[in-house]
């Protein structure tokens, strides 16, 4: 009910751009362009943990991109799932080298308490929007929410790469019936932001240990600017991608 009311309110009440605060629209054209300032590119998080799959991001985390992600995640600006999902779709395509095969998008799970507090699961919502965008572009894509938290974890804010790995070790598992949900196409792990890569590495471990299949890669909306390497479509070189 809370999520439904937020969506209705966003349609009928005046609002300002979540990225820059200007105007009376949820996302202005300039901030929408910031989500696609560069083609989705390969990122290598600082202190990336063992087992981290190849990670692709749509934009650098900062400025209006950061503001839009936080507005969607923390303030329930649910209409932003559409443009964020569009950005994520580009990163998924970069992760799946043979797009004709399609992809199974496996979102990183949120803990139950934050989901209840926010009234929605932001990563799953963005993943669903991305899958819809991919299908409209002719790419077979679906979301399989097969992962779950099997133990509590501490707040990640302020933790370094090594501390995040320790905090998340063994924290994820798979749901009953996960094999059926994830079967049939390459698996792409999806999240909103990649910083150290610890969460995505833990998700990859849980998928592998459950025998769900090979993880093709990981896709996120944003990553730190310094983590990018310049990418031609679906190939890697060594220069930073500038906004």
């Amino acid at each position: 009910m809370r999520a439904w009311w937020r969506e209705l309110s966003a349609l009928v009440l005046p609002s300002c751009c979540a990225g820059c605060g200007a105007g009376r629209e949820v996302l202005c054209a300039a901030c929408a362009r910031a989500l696609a300032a560069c083609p989705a590119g390969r990122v290598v998080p600082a202190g990336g943990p063992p087992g981290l799959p190849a990670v692709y991001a749509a934009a650098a985390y900062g400025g209006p991109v950061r503001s839009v992600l936080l507005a969607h995640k923390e303030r329930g600006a649910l209409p932003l799932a559409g443009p964020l999902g569009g950005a994520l779709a580009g990163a998924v395509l970069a992760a799946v080298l043979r797009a004709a095969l399609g992809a199974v998008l496996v979102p990183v799970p949120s803990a139950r308490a934050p989901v209840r507090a926010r009234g929605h699961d932001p990563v799953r919502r963005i993943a669903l929007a991305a899958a819809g965008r991919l299908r409209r572009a002719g790419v077979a894509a679906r979301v399989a929410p097969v992962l779950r938290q099997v133990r509590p974890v501490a707040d990640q804010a302020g933790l370094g790469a090594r501390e995040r790995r320790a905090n998340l070790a063994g924290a994820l598992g798979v749901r009953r019936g996960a094999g059926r949900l994830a079967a049939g196409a390459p698996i792409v792990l999806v999240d909103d932001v990649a910083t150290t890569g610890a969460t995505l590495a833990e998700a990859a471990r849980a998928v592998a240990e459950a025998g769900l299949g090979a993880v093709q890669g990981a896709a996120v909306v944003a990553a730190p600017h310094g983590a990018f390497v310049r990418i031609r479509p679906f190939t890697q070189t060594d220069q930073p991608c500038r906004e």
Side-chain angles (χ1 to χ4, degrees), residues 25 42 51 54 103 111 132 139 143 166 200 219:
E25 52 189 336
R42 175 76 184 273
V139 178
V143 175
L200 291 169

Side-chain angles (χ1 to χ4, degrees), residues 114-126:
V115 169
R116 286 195 299 267
R118 293 168 179 152
H120 74 125
D121 184 334
V123 175
R124 184 172 180 178
R125 184 175 289 272
I126 294 172

